[in-house]
Amino acid sequence: MTPPSVLRFLRALALVCSLAACVPAASAAAPDWVRALARASLPAYPAETRAVVLLKEETVVVRENGDVQTVHRRAVKILRPQGESEGAVVVFFDNDTKLNSLKAWSITSQGQEYEVKEKDAIETALLQDSLYEDTRSKVLRIPAAVPGSIVAYEYEQKDRAAMYQHLWWLDEDLPVVSARYTLQMPPGWEYSTVWRNQAGQAPAQTGPNQWTWQFQSLPAREHEAGMPNWRAVASRMAVNFYPAGQPRGKAQRSWDEVGVWYAGLTAGRAEANPEIRAKVQELTAGKSETLDKVKALAAFVQAGIRYVAVEIGVGGYQPHPASSTFAARYGDCKDKVTLLRAMLSEAGVPSYYVLVHSARGAVSPQFPSMGFDHMIAAVALPQRLPDGFAVYEHPKLGSLTLFDPTDRSTPFGWLPDNEQAGHALLVTPSGGETIQVPVAPPNMNRLLREGRFEVQQDGTLAGSVKELRWGQPATDQRQLWNEAADAAERRKRLESTLSSTVGTVLLESAVAEGLTATDGVFQLSYKLAAPAYAKRTGPLLLIRPRVIGSKATTLNDQKPRKYPLDLGSTGFQTDVYEITIPSGYVVDELPPNVDAVYPFAEYHSKSTVEGKVLRYQREYQVKQVEVPAEQVPDLRKFSSRILADEANSAVLKRQ
Amino acid sequence: MRSLRATLCGLCVLLAVCLFAAPGSAQSWATIPADELKLTSVPGFPGASAILLFRDSFTDNVDDFENEHFRIKVLTDAGKKFADVEIPFVREALDITTLKARTVQPDGTAKEYNGKIFDKMIVKRGGVKVQAKVFALPDVQVGTIIEYKYRRRWPATELPATRWRLQHELFTRRAHFSIRPYPELSLAWVLVRLPPGSIPKEKFGRLEYDIENVASLQAEDHMPPEDEESMRIDFFYRRNEETAEKYWKNTGKKIYDIYEDFIGKRKGIQTAAARMVAADDDPEKKLQKIYAEVQKLRNLSLRREMTEKEEAREKLKDAQNVEDVLKNGYGYPRDLNLLFVALARAAGLEAWMVRLVERNEAFFHANVPDAGQFTSSLVGVTIDGKPAYLDPGYAFCPYGLIPWQKTDVGALRPLRDGAEIFQMPSADQRASFVTRQASLQLDENGLLRGTVQLTFGGQEALRVRRDAWFSDDTARRKDLEDNLKGWLSQGATVKLANVGNWESSEFTLGAKFEIEIPGFGTATGRRRFASLALFDPGYARAFRHANRIHPVYFDSAFGEQDDIALTLPAGYRMESLPQPRKIQAPFGTFERAYKLDNNVLRLQRVLTITGYFFPVEHYPVIQRFFNTMKTQDEEPVVLQAGAN
């Protein structure tokens, strides 16, 4: 977007807003159900509670012809200004999930009532990340959404006809007074339920083939630093409904059923055309090993196909045909996997769709559902890759190498850290099944940093550093460097990183090697000077031997922990620094060595002196990607030992 | 006027057709020069992701459209994102009438884009739709040239202001801007941050401007308003070659008449003023009393954002004059300032309105005849024969303080026969300060605990109070705690014990905290090292980069004072104390001294910055000042375990 365009765009937005302000006031009348909620008394909540959900209700009506309509109701009492955001209703819809009605109300603490309707809403597609998709949203602002007010809304929406499963999300980051879910089905239909993070409950029959589930007083979902994604901890029920006796259909009673549904949706999409065949020939020419061929094809789709998401219909689940992605040289994750599968097939290598969620823990093997937001590929190589690589051993399909062609910095045989350790749906010709995505062992994610420095008489630390990275540390650094606008920005990023641990830094030079070849080592070499690094106090000179890098996981609270803590990825990092001390000084005291070993991580550091050289070496190993809640107190102790070690200094005394 | 304009348009049709076939046209593609096909990097900017090879922007104020043409070359993978194009438009208001795009590969092979162009809904309300034309150019690789052009049209009833922003988010190799002016008015322009001697040239009834090798605008910490740092040309129309001087004179007269009409001489104001002040009050006392009374009225600038239905129900009354403002009991800042002027005059004092620019958004450009530059107001008064300025319409602003964004800015005093354009006085560091007094104990395990009395003064108190206005007590307390925690080292816990009056216009706001810092300093076998400079607002970090593009720009001159007393643990003795330090610079000073009295160690630390704007060539000195300050702050006290 060019700057003048932005100006005009903003003017246009201002015009829309000013027009919005001209809409005349309508008569206001809250319905009885909202008034009844407003009259009810509430228990006391902690001072931080910004709002309370008085009622969340979904009423799902399945018609004889299979059409499904849902009425959503929600009422919230706002307790604090931080709860005023509850006064915005956002409803997503597309051509398959049309909105039949939308209304909202508020009742203030003085008893004033307001009503707004669908015509008062603005419609926007700005909440999406893709270049284009047919999903839009209606955003309706509820008047008087201030502390003391009750805000409520009701809307009716057609469900997506492609699937007969409903997710009912129970808890929220607000306390919920009452949650109710009603399913009304025509005669001859049945339902089944699955629960996650919540004990299942039998429904009450509230009508002919009508069932109601109800919960009271659900506590607010707590937020804890470093906790798993909310999808991993949120309580919910999946309701599947289907005509009695239907073995497989639009419901998602099992992973097999989800797999079959998805296989049907993607049927015929991963087929090569003559242009794709020619490209496969070109890319694999002269390569006799299957692995080399696969790597060439994977690299092409990874780097040669630009990520662009154009999502239309079926909720954005269906990929474009491989031929159109190849012609455009762009596509989203499922388009890339589809093209890769078509190319691999041409090379005689079987492969499969693997649906994942980018948030670890979002998918549970006990909870079949289309709750995915990303796709990767499983490639059946004739020979298994060595241990440590992202390989899943399938009892029938053999060794499946998992690969994400959307991630431009992660090479074939590896997976980005957020995709590891979760569960995924492997879509096979016969259906689908969940698999556990493997976790890379620590030694696959290596960082080796070596620095040689000299402390000058004025306290300046000067020297050079070489960093070697493999696996996730290499991926992270490549992304950082490749996303920078130019060399000046890369330099600024490095300056920022270094200054956070060495203070003022003068970066003399910085050279990166292995930026584009994703399957090699990433090497960063730089020379720096840090003025006044050594602190002089009286006859003493203090030198902090841990020059660069910070390993500690910072947790600022001491509260008892409910959830595990996500450490991101495993890893094995080594820092070795040799610091030549200035003449005229001798080492009087060294920082104590540290050996901290826990089930989730280890840290060892050691300082020694040989002649005029102060040598500091440390190793930091993360063995698990998640620390169980009961071990988080140990993590706090572990981190405080690391922080203390990182802050410690060697004491030099003038001779 | 429109009929004459239509005639002129008709006469120009033939000429227009010829002109529009030029490079700015949406009809054809020009041949791409060989050097652009071969180019692989941006000179001076190694590693750049893409380059804007050529831009042609043509604005037609006769036929009401603009043509934009962009030619971008992808230089790295990251630059491929420029092949995803999004052009906002409003149907029938700012419509895109022509859109063409193509890719050109390094070997010169060109491919016209024939794919789908989507109309993406940005926002729709009632009958108004803001949309964007979106498309993704296919087969874009490193080395590909992306080219697209479009025409945007607006209704013939509008003559929109034109601003040429000459900096793109990419380095621009070559750009051509032109405008065909509306002939019945005189077109003038103002150049901002352009190379010396560089001006638009007239050619065939157009104004044209060519520029080469323009770097993109990059944001930095503590930089002036972005608009003032970007290269641009602002166009405006004026009648009869009116000079800026004459424009301001006429504008001043008009504003004066409007204000005086609003103020008038009203009995209700006379009565109110007589009630507010005593006849024997001196002028300053009278002003203070009136100021306090005006600030008691509801300030509508602090009204929360409402929906249209709430607005309609609230039924705020319009004020036709200052008496209405007083009767209503509420007003917007300008209304309140006008009321203050009226009351001050009724109390026998000289007072007048001032229009001004707020320098957090923009600077004043006297040569731009646009009264829209003045977005704010305050009040001028005469005390002891000298002018002074007050801002009663700015909620929570203490008497005598001018909000920093209204200091040292261009201002206009409307006069009966014209205008006085002048510069508002600047404020010194006494108008913006923070003091921190701490009383702490250190135990033998390195746990530091005690109390901190924090005082925000002047601008700082004003900022904190205004930031807190829409928060409740719980959030205000947390914000204050987080603010202090942000200055302390990792792992510190902070609990607010008490705080002063949030909703007043007092010059200071105080808050007392209890803090704990585990593992304070570092310990070896025999010694503990620690600096008592506990509070680090992060100045050195803001200036960590070796290179700087923009001037350094603080809100205002400011000061900080720390007074920290630490009771040492039993069994420790002082081995070494850092020497007193002082840094003196043309723009400020830093002083720091330690003192040991029995077993109480005391640090006194004072930072004073006397200016707020520093040209980029002064950056090394600024950087050195703050880095040296940080280094001196980090000098540790050395405690040794053993007998006292």
Side-chain angles (χ1 to χ4, degrees):
Chain A
M1 195 190 292
T2 62
S5 306
V6 174
L7 266 187
R8 292 234 164 84
F9 171 55
L10 291 177
R11 276 187 222 130
L13 271 182
L15 177 64
V16 170
C17 294
S18 63
L19 285 173
C22 297
V23 175
S27 60
D32 288 343
W33 68 271
V34 179
R35 286 180 179 162
L37 288 169
R39 283 192 296 271
S41 59
L42 286 174
Y45 290 99
E48 313 83 62
T49 310
R50 54 192 175 88
V52 181
V53 180
L54 304 176
L55 173 70
K56 55 190 292 189
E57 182 176 32
E58 292 178 35
T59 305
V60 181
V61 179
V62 184
R63 312 254 183 239
E64 291 279 2
N65 62 1
D67 281 355
V68 183
Q69 306 279 347
T70 303
V71 176
H72 303 254
R73 278 182 177 177
R74 181 182 170 87
V76 174
K77 177 155 189 175
I78 297 170
L79 302 181
R80 297 181 53 211
Q82 286 69 17
E84 290 175 4
S85 56
E86 294 295 320
V89 187
V90 182
V91 184
F92 291 89
F93 67 100
D94 59 27
N95 295 336
D96 296 335
T97 54
K98 287 195 171 140
L99 202 55
N100 297 332
S101 65
L102 170 61
K103 278 187 182 180
W105 307 271
S106 60
I107 302 177
T108 68
S109 54
Q110 291 83 38
Q112 284 185 311
E113 294 184 5
Y114 289 91
E115 180 183 62
V116 278
K117 298 177 181 172
E118 191 176 348
K119 67 178 175 54
D120 300 314
I122 61 164
E123 187 180 320
T124 178
L126 279 181
L127 306 175
Q128 279 79 52
D129 293 333
S130 51
L131 181 78
Y132 179 80
E133 63 183 272
D134 57 358
T135 302
R136 300 183 299 285
S137 58
K138 295 261 186 185
V139 182
L140 184 59
R141 272 190 68 201
I142 306 176
V146 293
S149 291
I150 307 274
V151 291
Y153 63 78
E154 178 182 290
Y155 66 90
E156 185 184 82
Q157 188 169 25
K158 188 183 174 197
D159 278 25
R160 195 174 302 289
M163 53 186 84
Y164 287 157
Q165 187 188 66
H166 238 245
L167 288 184
W168 184 39
W169 298 88
L170 280 160
D171 64 353
E172 305 189 8
D173 56 357
L174 300 177
V176 177
V177 175
S178 181
R180 192 158 54 228
Y181 183 90
T182 300
L183 175 66
Q184 185 187 318
M185 297 178 296
W189 282 60
E190 295 177 346
Y191 74 88
S192 63
T193 57
V194 196
W195 299 80
R196 186 166 180 207
N197 298 321
Q198 176 70 47
Q201 187 198 69
Q205 184 155 12
T206 49
N209 214 11
Q210 178 175 304
W211 308 90
T212 297
W213 291 259
Q214 187 155 337
F215 287 85
Q216 305 289 344
S217 303
L218 295 166
R221 194 187 313 128
E222 289 174 38
H223 175 79
E224 294 175 346
M227 67 185 278
N229 184 274
W230 68 270
R231 289 174 185 80
V233 297
S235 59
R236 65 251 207 195
M237 171 180 78
V239 186
N240 297 290
F241 37 90
Y242 39 88
Q246 191 181 71
R248 276 175 159 181
K250 294 179 183 176
Q252 296 167 10
R253 287 164 289 188
S254 65
W255 286 113
D256 178 61
E257 207 163 16
V258 181
V260 168
W261 179 81
Y262 197 73
L265 193 66
T266 53
R269 300 266 157 168
E271 285 180 6
N273 63 2
E275 289 77 22
I276 294 175
R277 283 188 199 106
K279 190 68 183 178
V280 172
Q281 286 289 323
E282 176 197 323
L283 292 169
T284 57
K287 293 182 171 64
S288 56
E289 296 293 327
T290 305
L291 181 60
D292 292 339
K293 290 179 185 177
V294 169
K295 281 186 173 180
L297 299 176
F300 168 75
V301 176
Q302 189 176 38
I305 305 296
R306 180 168 107 244
Y307 182 86
V308 176
V310 176
E311 299 184 340
I312 300 168
V314 208
Y317 290 126
Q318 190 172 41
H320 293 93
S323 55
S324 67
T325 303
F326 181 75
R329 295 291 202 277
Y330 65 69
D332 64 9
C333 58
K334 54 192 179 293
D335 298 330
K336 283 185 153 218
V337 173
T338 301
L339 174 60
L340 178 62
R341 289 194 60 216
M343 298 182 94
L344 289 169
S345 178
E346 277 305 300
V349 180
S351 65
Y352 309 93
Y353 288 119
V354 180
L355 288 155
V356 298
H357 200 287
S358 53
R360 180 180 292 153
V363 179
S364 162
Q366 285 78 41
F367 196 83
S369 170
M370 266 305 287
F372 304 101
D373 71 347
H374 188 45
M375 183 185 279
I376 61 175
V379 183
L381 287 175
Q383 283 186 315
R384 193 188 195 283
L385 289 179
D387 285 348
F389 285 97
V391 176
Y392 179 78
E393 282 301 330
H394 193 276
K396 292 179 185 166
L397 303 174
S399 292
L400 300 177
T401 303
L402 302 174
F403 171 60
D404 184 351
T406 306
D407 187 306
R408 297 179 51 79
S409 304
T410 303
F412 185 81
W414 309 62
L415 274 181
D417 56 358
N418 63 307
E419 293 169 19
Q420 297 174 28
H423 288 88
L425 173 64
L426 175 69
V427 181
T428 62
S430 59
E433 58 192 270
T434 50
I435 59 171
Q436 166 106 47
V437 181
V439 181
N443 62 4
M444 293 292 280
N445 296 321
R446 285 282 285 129
L447 165 61
L448 172 60
R449 188 185 280 128
E450 290 178 326
R452 284 193 172 74
F453 307 100
E454 180 188 355
V455 173
Q456 295 161 0
Q457 288 292 341
D458 65 355
T460 298
L461 175 100
S464 59
V465 180
K466 185 164 81 172
E467 295 181 4
L468 299 171
R469 293 166 190 258
W470 301 262
Q472 193 63 41
T475 296
D476 293 343
Q477 205 65 14
R478 280 193 184 101
Q479 277 173 357
L480 201 68
W481 279 65
N482 285 327
E483 283 166 9
D486 55 28
E489 192 180 324
R490 289 173 180 171
R491 184 188 177 90
K492 281 192 168 183
R493 288 183 181 192
L494 184 57
E495 281 176 344
S496 296
T497 306
L498 295 173
S499 67
S500 67
T501 51
V502 297
T504 305
V505 63
L506 306 171
L507 194 58
E508 197 180 306
S509 65
V511 179
E513 295 169 58
L515 265 177
T516 51
T518 58
D519 58 350
V521 63
F522 177 84
Q523 180 176 320
L524 183 60
S525 309
Y526 47 90
K527 288 185 180 173
L528 63 90
Y533 181 83
K535 310 295 176 206
R536 196 185 308 275
T537 175
L540 307 178
L541 190 67
L542 310 180
I543 298 174
R544 198 190 59 215
R546 183 275 307 186
V547 181
I548 296 163
S550 178
K551 316 290 187 193
T553 302
T554 309
L555 285 173
N556 276 333
D557 65 71
Q558 298 290 326
K559 283 194 290 189
R561 188 90 184 179
K562 181 176 180 185
Y563 301 115
L565 189 135
D566 195 318
L567 290 175
S569 70
T570 61
F572 187 18
Q573 305 184 5
T574 308
D575 291 344
V576 182
Y577 302 127
E578 290 182 351
I579 304 169
T580 303
I581 61 176
S583 59
Y585 282 92
V586 290
V587 174
D588 190 47
E589 278 192 279
L590 281 178
N593 297 340
V594 177
D595 289 293
V597 180
Y598 289 90
F600 46 84
E602 288 183 23
Y603 183 88
H604 307 273
S605 80
K606 189 177 181 183
S607 299
T608 52
V609 186
E610 286 176 30
K612 300 295 283 181
V613 177
L614 169 63
R615 190 171 197 274
Y616 174 82
Q617 176 164 350
R618 64 172 172 170
E619 285 181 352
Y620 172 63
Q621 192 178 166
V622 179
K623 299 182 277 191
Q624 296 171 194
V625 293
E626 195 169 89
V627 180
E630 63 274 15
Q631 290 179 17
V632 170
D634 286 342
L635 177 71
R636 289 197 181 99
K637 288 180 207 157
F638 180 66
S639 293
S640 63
R641 291 188 72 185
I642 297 177
L643 280 172
D645 184 57
E646 291 181 339
N648 276 342
S649 293
V651 184
L652 277 60
K653 208 167 188 174
R654 219 190 308 267
Q655 276 176 313
Chain B
M1 191 158 77
R2 295 300 307 171
S3 61
L4 174 60
R5 202 174 150 204
T7 311
L8 283 170
C9 289
L11 289 172
C12 293
V13 165
L14 187 60
L15 176 61
V17 167
C18 299
L19 290 172
F20 302 157
S25 157
Q27 305 303 314
S28 61
W29 297 109
T31 304
I32 295 177
D35 60 334
E36 290 185 0
L37 288 171
K38 284 182 197 157
L39 186 140
T40 56
S41 63
V42 182
F45 297 87
S49 62
I51 180 171
L52 177 58
L53 291 171
F54 176 61
R55 177 180 177 189
D56 190 355
S57 176
F58 171 61
T59 305
D60 191 319
N61 277 342
V62 176
D63 273 353
D64 308 301
F65 69 86
E66 67 177 8
N67 289 339
E68 282 285 4
H69 177 182
F70 295 91
R71 184 186 298 156
I72 293 167
K73 184 158 197 176
V74 177
L75 301 175
T76 71
D77 270 345
K80 290 179 183 175
K81 68 179 180 187
F82 293 99
D84 302 340
V85 182
E86 188 166 326
I87 307 165
F89 70 99
V90 182
R91 205 172 289 285
E92 294 171 8
L94 283 168
D95 223 343
I96 303 291
T97 56
T98 317
L99 172 57
K100 286 165 73 86
R102 69 169 182 168
T103 50
V104 181
Q105 302 303 343
D107 65 0
T109 311
K111 193 169 182 185
E112 197 77 16
Y113 180 66
N114 296 315
K116 177 98 175 151
I117 295 173
F118 297 100
D119 284 352
K120 181 175 181 173
M121 178 69 66
I122 305 296
V123 63
K124 175 183 163 188
R125 173 73 192 261
V128 180
K129 281 187 197 176
V130 180
Q131 292 172 278
K133 300 276 182 194
V134 295
F135 58 97
L137 287 160
D139 198 12
V140 172
Q141 308 301 332
V142 172
T144 302
I145 290 174
I146 297 155
E147 200 159 21
Y148 59 92
K149 50 190 175 182
Y150 56 88
R151 174 170 295 179
R152 196 198 307 266
R153 189 171 277 287
W154 51 85
T157 49
E158 289 183 16
L159 189 56
T162 298
R163 169 174 284 187
W164 288 345
R165 286 179 188 275
L166 307 180
Q167 282 168 297
H168 186 267
E169 66 177 296
L170 292 172
F171 181 92
T172 303
R173 192 165 189 251
R174 195 159 58 92
H176 176 75
F177 294 84
S178 55
I179 183 168
R180 184 157 71 125
Y182 178 59
E184 290 184 27
L185 293 170
S186 171
L187 184 67
W189 57 88
V190 172
L191 316 176
V192 179
R193 298 188 66 80
L194 292 195
S198 142
I199 54 164
K201 295 189 173 76
E202 198 168 342
K203 202 170 171 184
F204 303 122
R206 295 178 181 191
L207 277 167
E208 299 191 340
Y209 186 78
D210 289 280
I211 193 161
E212 290 181 354
N213 300 325
V214 185
S216 61
L217 184 69
Q218 289 174 25
E220 291 178 316
D221 290 340
H222 297 295
M223 68 178 276
E226 204 168 291
D227 257 0
E228 299 301 335
E229 286 298 295
S230 63
M231 297 166 68
R232 65 175 207 256
I233 304 177
D234 286 339
F235 290 94
F236 50 89
Y237 285 100
R238 59 188 183 190
R239 295 177 190 279
N240 308 321
E241 302 291 335
E242 181 188 49
T243 62
E245 197 178 342
K246 198 168 174 189
Y247 171 85
W248 290 120
K249 190 173 177 184
N250 290 336
T251 300
K253 271 198 277 191
K254 283 180 200 163
I255 296 174
Y256 180 86
D257 290 344
I258 292 167
Y259 283 171
E260 291 305 315
D261 185 49
F262 197 85
I263 296 167
K265 284 195 174 170
R266 300 173 200 283
K267 200 173 171 191
I269 296 296
Q270 300 287 340
T271 309
R275 181 174 43 78
M276 291 175 190
V277 301
D280 57 351
D281 285 340
D282 63 28
E284 183 95 42
K285 188 77 183 168
K286 285 179 180 172
L287 288 168
Q288 284 174 0
K289 285 182 171 178
I290 295 168
Y291 191 94
E293 290 294 327
V294 170
Q295 284 217 320
K296 282 181 193 164
L297 302 182
R298 184 181 169 205
N299 193 318
L300 294 179
S301 69
L302 294 183
R303 197 167 60 136
R304 70 179 176 80
E305 196 187 340
M306 291 184 173
T307 66
E308 61 269 25
K309 291 186 177 175
E310 285 174 273
E311 297 254 10
R313 198 171 289 183
E314 193 183 24
K315 291 180 183 159
L316 284 179
K317 291 178 193 159
D318 280 343
Q320 303 300 323
N321 55 57
V322 286
E323 206 166 347
D324 287 351
V325 178
L326 194 60
K327 274 186 206 157
N328 292 343
Y330 51 77
Y332 290 98
R334 190 179 62 174
D335 301 336
L336 298 174
N337 282 337
L338 283 160
L339 173 63
F340 181 88
V341 170
L343 288 166
R345 286 179 186 174
L349 303 166
E350 191 184 0
W352 64 92
M353 285 292 284
V354 174
R355 299 288 298 159
L356 42 72
V357 177
E358 294 194 354
R359 63 177 170 82
N360 56 327
E361 297 288 338
F363 299 156
F364 174 58
H365 298 275
N367 53 353
V368 178
D370 176 9
Q373 291 188 83
F374 294 125
T375 54
S376 191
S377 74
L378 46 67
V379 174
V381 293
T382 301
I383 304 174
D384 296 334
K386 290 177 188 165
Y389 299 95
L390 301 169
D391 201 356
Y394 198 77
F396 305 130
C397 187
Y399 177 88
L401 185 79
I402 299 299
W404 69 265
Q405 66 272 25
K406 301 186 186 187
T407 60
D408 202 14
V409 294
L412 178 146
R413 177 180 176 179
L415 299 170
R416 186 190 304 276
D417 58 351
E420 180 194 353
I421 300 286
F422 69 104
Q423 192 75 1
M424 280 289 295
S426 55
D428 70 19
Q429 67 279 3
R430 288 169 300 180
S432 179
F433 64 84
V434 173
T435 64
R436 293 167 289 236
Q437 283 181 299
S439 176
L440 307 163
Q441 291 81 42
L442 179 66
D443 73 12
E444 58 280 9
N445 298 316
L447 175 68
L448 186 75
R449 63 156 63 114
T451 59
V452 175
Q453 175 67 46
L454 177 62
T455 304
F456 299 101
Q459 307 287 356
E460 287 296 312
L462 182 57
R463 175 186 61 77
V464 173
R465 285 196 171 99
R466 287 178 67 92
D467 286 352
W469 174 248
F470 291 105
S471 300
D472 63 0
D473 190 56
T474 306
R476 288 173 178 179
R477 295 176 75 87
K478 184 173 183 310
D479 288 347
L480 276 182
E481 287 172 354
D482 288 348
N483 181 74
L484 182 58
K485 215 184 275 186
W487 293 337
L488 294 169
S489 59
Q490 276 186 4
T493 55
V494 171
K495 188 166 169 44
L496 178 66
N498 58 59
V499 62
N501 188 353
W502 285 102
E503 291 168 21
S504 84
S505 296
E506 290 164 23
F507 193 75
T508 59
L509 175 66
K512 191 172 183 181
F513 303 84
E514 288 159 7
I515 67 165
E516 276 192 13
I517 306 176
F520 178 63
T522 62
T524 61
R526 301 191 305 270
R527 299 180 176 101
R528 179 168 289 277
F529 304 89
S531 163
L532 270 197
L534 302 176
F535 309 106
D536 178 12
Y539 299 116
R541 182 151 183 80
F543 304 121
R544 63 194 176 279
H545 298 303
N547 298 318
R548 179 90 188 179
I549 302 165
H550 304 291
V552 173
Y553 187 74
F554 297 117
D555 291 350
S556 62
F558 64 94
E560 285 183 10
Q561 278 193 39
D562 292 335
D563 188 347
I564 298 166
L566 172 70
T567 305
L568 300 177
Y572 272 86
R573 69 173 178 81
M574 182 66 58
E575 181 174 340
S576 169
L577 266 185
Q579 293 297 309
R581 298 285 188 183
K582 181 167 185 178
I583 314 171
Q584 185 79 47
F587 50 82
T589 55
F590 172 72
E591 285 186 85
R592 188 221 60 194
Y594 278 98
K595 197 169 83 178
L596 181 66
D597 189 2
N598 291 323
N599 70 332
V600 177
L601 177 64
R602 190 165 178 201
L603 166 70
Q604 288 183 304
R605 181 183 175 278
V606 181
L607 168 68
T608 303
I609 299 296
T610 54
Y612 70 90
F613 184 98
F614 307 98
V616 68
E617 52 272 24
H618 293 184
Y619 178 65
V621 184
I622 302 267
Q623 188 189 38
R624 192 160 56 245
F625 179 89
F626 284 110
N627 282 339
T628 307
M629 185 179 93
K630 183 166 172 56
T631 300
Q632 295 183 357
D633 270 343
E634 287 172 348
E635 288 176 349
V637 169
V638 185
L639 303 174
Q640 199 171 84
N644 284 314

